[in-house]
Amino acid sequence: MTAVSPIQADITVDAPQDRAFDAFTGELGRWWPLAYTYAGVDLDTAVLEPRAGGLWFERDRAGRETAWGEVRAWEPPSRLVLSFAVSPERAPEPEARASEIEIRFMPEGSGTRIELEHRDFERHGDGAARLREGMGSPQGWPLILADFARYLRS
């Protein structure tokens, strides 16, 4: 498979580094956009287990849990690496086919600059370029990061 270029996205939020990291990881279910869940309006919460080897997943109102991937690196308050085990068809897929997301939280003035890189799309197989196009569009990572910034302002 041909290599698919990574996505780079960033945003600066008006919160100190530790607050930005804690809210991003520990309050995932309060800010993550419903459009990027399997359950949609039936979502109960989204959880990111705070340790390398943990999972990040959603839970619907019936209690069913669906994994989005694994926590590959947990380095509060500066760095987080997650696998993205969501197929181009928006279905769960095996960890071996997951791409990777690295998120860095860096102090900037009184706020925090969040830099995100989503890479290794080719692991997803035939739909890799389509998945990269969607997550790199204004309705992908830029929207997700904007929703996070909006949550911090509220």
Side-chain angles (χ1 to χ4, degrees):
M1 159 135 256
T2 305
V4 179
S5 63
I7 294 169
Q8 308 281 336
D10 62 78
I11 195 164
T12 300
V13 296
D14 189 22
Q17 181 188 32
D18 58 346
R19 170 67 183 132
F21 186 93
D22 290 347
F24 193 97
T25 59
E27 300 168 28
L28 187 68
R30 295 185 187 151
W31 66 267
W32 190 265
L34 289 178
Y36 281 89
T37 67
Y38 297 116
V41 297
D42 291 324
L43 181 72
D44 177 41
T45 192
V47 176
L48 196 153
E49 295 176 332
R51 67 183 189 287
L55 296 176
W56 67 311
F57 63 92
E58 68 181 65
R59 182 179 307 118
D60 68 18
R61 291 185 182 154
R64 288 182 299 263
E65 294 180 352
T66 306
W68 297 345
E70 294 180 353
V71 178
R72 292 184 173 170
W74 177 261
E75 300 170 13
S78 60
R79 182 173 175 262
L80 175 68
V81 179
L82 305 167
S83 68
F84 190 76
V86 178
S87 77
E89 292 76 33
R90 294 193 57 171
E93 73 179 340
E95 190 64 28
R97 293 179 55 92
S99 52
E100 186 170 85
I101 305 159
E102 181 172 2
I103 308 151
R104 294 189 177 272
F105 299 79
M106 296 162 293
E108 186 165 289
S110 62
T112 303
R113 180 176 176 80
I114 300 170
E115 293 181 351
L116 180 143
E117 180 180 81
H118 191 161
R119 58 188 175 237
D120 301 327
F121 284 97
E122 50 281 342
R123 291 181 182 166
H124 291 281
D126 290 340
R130 184 169 29 98
L131 179 61
R132 193 259 180 239
E133 182 179 320
M135 295 308 293
S137 78
Q139 299 307 307
W141 283 115
L143 174 115
I144 294 168
L145 291 176
D147 278 4
F148 176 63
R150 203 170 8 266
Y151 169 75
L152 283 176
R153 287 192 300 269
S154 64

